[in-house]
Amino acid sequence: MTQSTSMAPPALHIRPARPDDAAFFAALYRSTRPDLLAMLADRRYIDGLVAAAWQAQAASYRERYPDARYQVLELDGEPVARLVTAAVARALRVVDLAVLPAARGRGVATAALQWLQRQARQDGRDLALAVHRDNAGARRLYAALGFAAEGEEGAVLALRWRP
């Protein structure tokens, strides 16, 4: 589904994930882990650690959200982000939204969230997500889109947008 909102990059396209997206998903996850990549350790050890963390995240999502919808966001025909959503009690939950570093700041996450807000409004659902307290950029984006804090657990804030 091509996005055509005024805030969306003109060539943003959201499509269902396919089995051949697995390598992209693994590389995308790797790009979100500068904490592990910066470790002073043998590269093979770090690669194994990142791969194990990626597999643990994927298993956790499958267990917690077995009916989740996995989508790829493409910009100019290239995959730049992954969106994982799940229907939960009276809400659409954003399980994961990850954007490649090279595509950040280009409106990809904004367009995806606005698209989800339209879906949630049509379905009469809230939109819920969680964000790490130290992720200031994401928190600013969510606040600008009308998400409000609903609770917290450790370093994670629960946010909710209501139509």
Side-chain angles (χ1 to χ4, degrees):
M1 172 178 307
T2 300
Q3 302 304 293
S4 59
T5 65
S6 60
M7 301 273 308
L12 183 66
H13 178 74
I14 300 173
R15 65 164 173 81
R18 304 181 299 241
D20 64 342
D21 290 317
F24 166 68
F25 287 165
L28 177 62
Y29 179 81
R30 182 182 184 84
S31 78
T32 68
R33 297 305 305 261
D35 57 326
L36 297 178
L37 297 174
M39 291 174 54
L40 297 176
D42 181 85
R43 180 60 46 202
R44 290 171 301 194
Y45 173 76
I46 293 170
D47 290 346
L49 194 58
V50 171
W54 160 240
Q55 291 170 357
Q57 182 193 70
S60 173
Y61 288 174
R62 282 191 306 272
E63 181 181 323
R64 293 175 59 200
Y65 305 102
D67 297 323
R69 181 169 63 167
Y70 292 76
Q71 295 170 295
V72 173
L73 286 68
E74 296 178 337
L75 192 58
D76 300 324
E78 293 296 319
V80 295
R82 178 178 78 154
L83 176 62
V84 181
T85 57
V88 296
R90 296 187 22 218
L92 179 60
R93 177 149 191 93
V94 180
V95 176
D96 191 28
L97 174 56
V99 180
L100 284 173
R104 292 180 190 151
R106 296 178 65 191
V108 172
T110 298
L113 290 165
Q114 289 173 330
W115 177 67
L116 289 172
Q117 286 174 321
R118 286 190 301 276
Q119 279 190 338
R121 181 178 282 119
Q122 288 173 353
D123 295 344
R125 294 177 180 255
D126 293 351
L127 194 55
L129 55 82
V131 62
H132 283 272
R133 182 182 309 280
D134 63 353
N135 191 341
R139 289 177 55 203
R140 278 191 302 276
L141 171 61
Y142 300 143
L145 291 174
F147 285 83
E150 176 174 79
E152 57 187 276
E153 185 175 326
V156 177
L157 298 173
L159 303 178
R160 185 170 291 265
W161 174 84
R162 290 180 170 83

